[in-house]
């Protein structure tokens, strides 16, 4: 087990809270104080350590995956300096110091997860996601690998319906798996072009595209204004905000981190008062 240093500040438990908030996530499994994730053909165990995290195994294959998973590419120091000008965020960055939004390692997984969560509670979405992972994924140690597009394009929509998907969402997932998407090329495009490409695919709307920018590509200006949680958070902390999408300009150029801190504060066990 080796130490992987991460940019300061970093709070491991706070940053990985998403994987515990809505029930277990079999592909990002929290167990005995550590996060388990399949990278390649191996399970990686990640636990808290001074100055970063302990990773087993840590090597050229797992290092970049763990860094992305833990949100190392976000520039928290610059965000915290910028947040001093906003009376809400200056307080939230103190209360939630070290929160790094975790990122989805795989673009296909990110999109399927968003389809799963459309118009249902996150508790229900996690349950359905787990059944999909158990049925079509691969167990390695304690965690499971997320099902590949190759595996899901061979599935029948009715198989997904049996797992809890609606008929329409089952068709979306199988259809997405059959799409020939060059994710490497997509990653090189500007935000708006990424969204334009994604929303041409059946089942992927603006909400899904915004979260893809935010939680897979880590684009700093991603602002998921159509998300109900983001709308609730903005209303709670900025009662006079008005149009939420337009209000995102207030957080330029840190819309992504601002959204995550507002969401974390809204649902925090610390019960931060607006």
């Amino acid at each position: 087990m080796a130490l992987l240093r991460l940019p300061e500040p970093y709070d491991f438990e706070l940053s990985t809270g998403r994987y515990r908030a809505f029930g277990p996530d079999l592909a990002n499994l929290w167990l005995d104080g550590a996060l388990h994730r399949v990278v390649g053909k191996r399970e990686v165990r990640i636990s808290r350590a001074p100055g970063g995290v302990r990773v087993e195994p840590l090597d050229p294959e797992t290092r970049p995956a763990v860094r992305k998973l833990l949100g190392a590419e976000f520039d928290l120091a610059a965000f915290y300096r910028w947040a001093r000008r906003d009376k809400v965020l200056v307080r939230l960055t103190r209360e939630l110091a070290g929160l790094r939004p975790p990122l989805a390692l795989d673009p296909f997984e990110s999109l399927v997860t968003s389809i799963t969560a459309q118009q249902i509670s996150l508790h229900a979405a996690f349950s359905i996601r787990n059944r999909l992972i158990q049925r079509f994924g691969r167990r390695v140690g304690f965690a499971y690998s997320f099902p590949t597009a190759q595996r899901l394009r061979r599935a029948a929509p009715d198989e997904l319906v049996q797992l809890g998907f609606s008929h329409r969402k089952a068709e979306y997932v199988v259809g997405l798996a059959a799409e020939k998407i060059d994710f490497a090329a997509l990653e090189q495009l500007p935000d708006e072009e990424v969204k334009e490409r994604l929303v041409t695919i059946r089942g992927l709307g603006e909400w899904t595209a915004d979260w893809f920018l935010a939680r897979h590509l880590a684009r700093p200006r991603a602002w998921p204004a159509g998300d109900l949680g983001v709308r609730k958070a903005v209303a709670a902390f900025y009662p006079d905000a008005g149009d939420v999408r337009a209000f995102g300009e207030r957080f330029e150029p840190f819309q992504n981190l601002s959204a995550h801190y507002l969401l974390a504060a809204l649902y925090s066990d610390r019960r931060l008062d607006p």
Side-chain angles (χ1 to χ4, degrees), residues 119-139:
Q119 298 179 331
I120 62 174
S121 75
L122 288 175
H123 287 281
F126 267 70
S127 294
I128 295 169
R129 170 184 158 92
N130 281 337
R131 290 195 287 272
L132 179 75
I133 291 169
Q134 282 184 305
R135 174 66 179 83
F136 296 101
R138 176 173 51 87
R139 186 170 184 175

Side-chain angles (χ1 to χ4, degrees), residues 80-96:
Y80 287 1
R81 289 193 299 271
W82 173 88
R84 293 171 188 162
R85 70 186 72 180
D86 186 290
K87 65 179 182 179
V88 172
L89 288 176
V90 70
R91 181 168 58 88
L92 300 190
T93 53
R94 287 196 304 265
E95 296 287 348
L96 301 170

Side-chain angles (χ1 to χ4, degrees), residues 155-176:
D158 284 347
E159 293 182 84
L160 274 64
V161 171
Q162 293 173 8
L163 303 176
F165 286 85
S166 68
H167 286 278
R168 181 168 294 179
K169 285 186 182 180
E171 292 174 355
Y172 291 165
V173 171
V174 175
L176 175 65

Side-chain angles (χ1 to χ4, degrees), residues 100-208:
R100 285 185 174 276
L103 296 170
L105 291 183
D106 180 75
F108 177 71
E109 176 182 352
S110 177
L111 293 174
V112 172
T113 298
S114 288
I115 291 173
T116 307
Q118 290 171 2
Q119 298 179 331
I120 62 174
S121 75
L122 288 175
H123 287 281
F126 267 70
S127 294
I128 295 169
R129 170 184 158 92
N130 281 337
R131 290 195 287 272
L132 179 75
I133 291 169
Q134 282 184 305
R135 174 66 179 83
F136 296 101
R138 176 173 51 87
R139 186 170 184 175
V140 181
F142 294 106
Y144 286 75
S145 63
F146 193 85
T148 63
Q150 291 84 351
R151 179 69 183 90
L152 286 177
R153 74 170 59 116
R154 298 194 301 268
D158 284 347
E159 293 182 84
L160 274 64
V161 171
Q162 293 173 8
L163 303 176
F165 286 85
S166 68
H167 286 278
R168 181 168 294 179
K169 285 186 182 180
E171 292 174 355
Y172 291 165
V173 171
V174 175
L176 175 65
E179 288 279 341
K180 303 297 184 183
I181 305 173
D182 186 340
F183 285 112
L186 191 68
E187 187 173 348
Q188 303 305 313
L189 298 176
D191 291 2
E192 287 306 313
E193 291 185 36
V194 173
K195 291 177 65 171
E196 288 173 7
R197 170 69 180 95
L198 290 178
V199 298
T200 64
I201 300 171
R202 185 169 180 252
L204 305 186
E206 186 175 43
W207 178 84
T208 298

